Amino acid sequence: MICGMCRHANQPNAKFCAECGTVLALVCASCGKEAAPTAKFCDECGTSLTVAPSPAPAGTASPDASRKRVTVLFADLVGSTSFAERLDAEAVRSSLAGYFTLLRSTIEDHAGSVVKFLGDGMLALFGVPEVAEDDALRAVAAGVDLQRRFRSFAVEIREHHGIDLDLRVGINTGELVIGAGDADLVGDVLNTAARIEAACVPGRVLVGEDTWRLTRAIVGYAVLDEVRVKGKADAVATFEVVEQDDDALGRGDNVSVFVGRYEELDNLGGVFADAVTTSSARLATVIGPPGVGKTRLARELCMHTEATSFDLRLERQGSTTFTPIADLLRAAAGSGSIDAIERFLGAHPERDRLAPVLASFLGHGEARTIEE
């Protein structure tokens, strides 16, 4: 297994480079297909896998490569060696199939991408193919969800086979250079994430400093010891996710003291006051890079105004065009029925016309045109 970063020759089936810690995978330099560790030629295009490709000239990069700021999640099974030794190979294969299904489904439920399975571990990315503002938060939520789902899986293994299994999850955020088709990944963020996962206490979720900064306003953390990473002069700070109830990641129970952004908060307060004074709708748009505090600013506005507020959003997966409107109607009316909407409209002069139209958003009554 030749490392793509430092060209160090590693042992067959190695997951990480023994020299620099980079994730290892035998990938054809010609077509990008991943091959078995013992393969000598690519079974897709016939290119030799035993001859290292010539390095590109200094200062050049693949025209198909792109640089992105992503969040990397590593998960690795603890106790798999004993598991494989004590059980029949067919039983191990059957159990691990359920384990890999659990990993993939959890990552996809949080709109992440499973890049590859590494032995009994997994590498997943949040921010590929498209970078989103909540990549880091969804990665942490996925890590917490992985541990919750895995506990049920581990109980089944213990009951059926008498073997204890556990899971480590490490998360890190940083820049990654991604080749065409997401087949080639290069970046220190991978190395650091792998080391963070290795330092994680089984059953927990450990994150790096950049992930912590992007999510600390919502997620509760315990500050742990720094981790030494080969190739880095300074140790890497690590933070362990504090166990919370099922909805804590979404509610933001662990909100820190609001500091700064007072001018922006005053501006939003002025827009709100103008809407109240004129009884007219006003729209305020807050723009900024991921992690700058847009969601927190909106939350502070809601806390500082005497009004009923609604938090509506289009999810990255599974939302339709009118989902926020339907969510608003359910929240405001307390129900999706026409009767509830009529009560919500009260003495509005156009209640009889509006109620059926609004109810149609929730699937009640006659379907309306998009324009209406």
Side-chain angles (χ1 to χ4, degrees):
M1 298 290 286
I2 304 298
C3 176
M5 286 287 288
C6 68
R7 313 312 302 169
H8 177 74
N10 294 275
Q11 295 294 324
N13 299 315
K15 297 180 184 177
F16 304 98
C17 177
E19 180 64 26
C20 68
T22 298
V23 179
L24 294 176
L26 189 57
V27 177
C28 176
S30 177
C31 68
K33 182 179 179 182
E34 188 170 339
T38 56
K40 295 181 180 180
F41 295 89
C42 176
D43 60 5
E44 180 71 20
C45 66
T47 300
S48 174
L49 300 174
T50 58
V51 179
S54 301
T60 64
S62 168
D64 296 325
S66 61
R67 183 186 298 269
K68 293 184 178 182
R69 185 168 179 82
V70 303
T71 298
V72 179
L73 184 149
F74 273 101
D76 195 28
L77 194 62
V78 180
S80 59
T81 301
S82 174
F83 185 55
E85 288 178 348
R86 295 175 55 182
L87 294 182
D88 176 74
E90 191 65 28
V92 173
R93 178 179 177 277
S94 176
S95 298
L96 289 182
Y99 162 70
F100 288 126
T101 299
L102 181 153
L103 294 181
R104 182 179 293 278
S105 63
T106 303
I107 295 300
E108 291 178 350
D109 284 348
H110 293 273
S113 302
V114 176
V115 177
K116 62 185 66 176
F117 291 108
L118 307 162
D120 52 21
M122 175 193 65
L123 165 61
L125 294 180
F126 292 80
V128 175
E130 294 181 358
V131 176
E133 174 161 329
D134 61 344
D135 285 335
L137 183 59
R138 286 186 290 105
V140 174
V144 173
D145 200 13
L146 271 175
Q147 292 291 12
R148 288 174 179 154
R149 298 188 189 188
F150 183 83
R151 282 193 282 269
S152 299
F153 171 80
V155 169
E156 294 180 6
I157 296 297
R158 188 183 306 114
E159 292 177 348
H160 287 83
H161 304 292
I163 297 175
D164 290 324
L165 295 177
D166 224 320
L167 188 70
R168 290 194 301 255
V169 177
I171 301 173
N172 191 38
T173 301
E175 285 194 343
L176 191 66
V177 177
I178 305 175
D182 303 334
D184 185 23
L185 307 174
V186 178
D188 181 64
V189 63
L190 293 171
N191 177 27
T192 305
R195 295 305 176 95
I196 290 173
E197 178 266 305
C200 180
V201 174
R204 311 295 289 181
V205 178
L206 198 63
V207 310
E209 186 170 2
D210 284 349
T211 304
W212 167 74
R213 290 184 186 279
L214 290 170
T215 60
R216 60 182 174 173
I218 296 178
V219 184
Y221 289 101
V223 181
L224 301 186
D225 295 333
E226 294 181 332
V227 175
R228 286 288 174 183
V229 177
K230 194 164 186 176
K232 280 183 172 289
D234 300 324
V236 176
T238 58
F239 306 82
E240 184 178 275
V241 177
V242 178
E243 286 291 346
Q244 304 173 50
D245 58 72
D246 291 341
D247 299 321
L249 284 179
R251 286 201 314 262
D253 290 345
N254 296 277
V255 176
S256 56
V257 176
F258 184 71
V259 178
R261 305 293 182 195
Y262 300 118
E263 181 179 354
E264 290 89 344
L265 186 59
D266 288 343
N267 288 339
L268 291 176
V271 175
F272 176 79
D274 183 51
V276 173
T277 301
T278 62
S279 294
S280 301
R282 294 289 185 267
L283 171 66
T285 304
V286 182
I287 302 174
V292 76
K294 300 185 293 296
T295 301
R296 179 62 189 277
L297 182 63
R299 186 182 298 122
E300 289 294 323
L301 173 67
C302 295
M303 292 172 58
H304 285 78
T305 55
E306 296 182 0
T308 302
S309 63
F310 300 94
D311 184 13
L312 309 172
R313 63 186 65 244
L314 278 168
E315 300 296 341
R316 286 172 57 83
Q317 290 184 338
S319 290
T320 61
T321 303
F322 295 116
T323 293
I325 298 176
D327 291 343
L328 173 61
L329 290 173
R330 292 191 185 95
S335 171
S337 67
I338 294 180
D339 292 340
I341 292 177
E342 287 180 342
R343 288 193 297 271
F344 167 68
L345 292 173
H348 193 287
E350 295 190 77
R351 185 185 68 171
D352 293 341
R353 183 184 68 84
L354 288 176
V357 175
L358 296 178
S360 69
F361 280 105
L362 306 176
H364 297 289
E366 179 184 351
R368 304 287 172 148
T369 64
I370 293 178
E371 289 77 9
E372 187 174 9

